[in-house]
Amino acid sequence: MKREPLSKGETPDIAEAVLNAGFDISTCPVRDVMDHIGGKWSSLMLLVLSTKPHRFGELKRAVPDISQRMLTQTLRDLQRDGYISRHVFATVPPSVEYRLTPLGESLMPALRALVAWAVDNHPRIAEARQTFDAA
Amino acid sequence: MKREPLSKGETPDIAEAVLNAGFDISTCPVRDVMDHIGGKWSSLMLLVLSTKPHRFGELKRAVPDISQRMLTQTLRDLQRDGYISRHVFATVPPSVEYRLTPLGESLMPALRALVAWAVDNHPRIAEARQTFDAA
DNA sequence: TCGCATTAGTCTCAAAACGAGATCATGTTC
DNA sequence: GAACATGATCTCGTTTTGAGACTAATGCGA
């Protein structure tokens, strides 16, 4: 995903938007962050891990409709960005534990706020969707 | 994406997680909402539209690396869920304006909180990523 | 009057992401 | 010695996404 730096002249609108939100477009950390935690499974993983550390199999059972492939990949992405840490125990069969890092923890309030909003407004969304589909 | 209702016995972990977060797994509004606003472009659209209504072309210029195809689709999805409204003006060439609905507005505080977190913690994420890639 | 530009999309085709399921290595248990 | 559990990878086919050409109607300049 290549993103060219943008001159202000070319993009007055986004410039305004991002400045309002308090960030610089040329680096645009929002996308950098949102693209990851906004992924299909990431927020769910973080939510589950925020309750307590989990092992790979536990996560798989906790989010039943994720494929193992996506689980592995999501965990690696989250680990790469420093949200979670991975601890291997040399048992047999080997077990691996995933847990939130302090960085991951620090994200949770904002994420929970979003979840709370989702819960509160879900009926309205469902209604909007029905109205739209009827037309 | 079909999701079977789950018995508590099968999924003690997620049950705990979702109950902590305050929602019911069998309907899981979180995914329903997150899958959409967590999309690659949705949050960006909402952010841009939160500053003022925009026309199609303005949005395209504001987010230069979105394809027209994705712009159309993202807008339609957001409209379907009731976050934004679409107003056609019968000028020539026709112009179309998109703006946040009250529902969309109500989401902004939570979204902005997430954006603020992203801005604050972007350096830490970049650092974690570098550390990870070095290994 | 002959293009040419503008606007909001759509269409087509290639590339990337994703899901399902088989497969692996390994030591423990029966 | 065969089945089992674990964390992870491989292959394959489907879905989603991206790039870019194409459409409609009309105003504008040459």
Side-chain angles (χ1 to χ4, degrees):
Chain A
M1 205 186 315
K2 198 178 57 173
R3 300 195 198 292
E4 304 295 341
L6 300 164
S7 81
K8 275 199 168 167
E10 289 174 350
T11 58
D13 299 321
I14 187 74
E16 196 182 317
V18 298
L19 287 173
N20 282 359
F23 59 88
D24 170 15
I25 177 126
S26 60
T27 55
C28 198
V30 173
R31 284 197 254 199
D32 210 24
V33 173
M34 288 300 252
D35 281 2
H36 285 260
I37 66 151
K40 190 167 183 179
W41 306 107
S42 308
S43 54
L44 225 34
M45 282 294 121
L46 291 173
L47 234 36
V48 172
L49 287 176
S50 76
T51 64
K52 72 174 204 300
H54 280 67
R55 296 178 49 187
F56 187 89
E58 285 181 311
L59 286 170
K60 176 129 186 50
R61 280 187 293 280
V63 186
D65 59 353
I66 192 175
S67 66
Q68 259 173 292
R69 185 181 164 283
M70 277 298 98
L71 180 55
T72 300
Q73 195 177 315
T74 301
L75 289 171
R76 223 191 296 294
D77 284 352
L78 291 175
Q79 189 197 350
R80 189 172 104 99
D81 284 6
Y83 297 116
I84 65 176
S85 58
R86 181 177 182 272
H87 307 275
V88 184
F89 297 100
T91 57
V92 163
S95 69
V96 182
E97 188 187 81
Y98 295 88
R99 61 168 66 215
L100 249 49
T101 61
L103 182 65
E105 293 283 3
S106 77
L107 170 63
M108 293 313 299
L111 195 53
R112 277 188 210 284
L114 210 56
V115 169
W117 184 91
V119 174
D120 288 350
N121 293 277
H122 186 237
R124 270 179 279 280
I125 292 171
E127 190 190 327
R129 216 171 277 178
Q130 258 189 324
T131 304
F132 184 90
D133 290 345
Chain B
M1 203 189 312
K2 198 180 62 176
R3 304 194 196 290
E4 303 293 342
L6 301 163
S7 80
K8 275 199 169 166
E10 287 172 349
T11 59
D13 299 321
I14 188 70
E16 197 182 316
V18 297
L19 286 173
N20 282 358
F23 59 86
D24 170 15
I25 177 125
S26 61
T27 55
C28 198
V30 174
R31 284 199 253 198
D32 210 23
V33 174
M34 288 299 251
D35 281 3
H36 285 259
I37 66 150
K40 189 168 184 178
W41 307 107
S42 308
S43 54
L44 225 33
M45 282 296 120
L46 293 173
L47 233 37
V48 172
L49 287 176
S50 76
T51 65
K52 71 173 201 303
H54 280 66
R55 294 180 49 187
F56 187 89
E58 285 180 310
L59 287 170
K60 174 125 186 54
R61 279 188 293 279
V63 185
D65 59 351
I66 192 174
S67 65
Q68 258 172 300
R69 189 180 160 285
M70 276 296 99
L71 180 55
T72 301
Q73 195 176 315
T74 302
L75 289 171
R76 222 190 297 293
D77 284 353
L78 290 175
Q79 189 198 350
R80 189 172 102 100
D81 285 7
Y83 297 116
I84 66 177
S85 57
R86 182 177 183 271
H87 308 274
V88 185
F89 297 99
T91 57
V92 163
S95 69
V96 181
E97 188 187 80
Y98 294 89
R99 61 169 65 215
L100 249 49
T101 61
L103 181 65
E105 293 284 3
S106 76
L107 170 63
M108 292 312 298
L111 196 53
R112 276 189 209 283
L114 211 54
V115 169
W117 185 92
V119 174
D120 289 349
N121 292 277
H122 186 236
R124 271 181 276 283
I125 291 170
E127 190 190 327
R129 216 172 277 179
Q130 258 190 323
T131 305
F132 183 89
D133 290 345

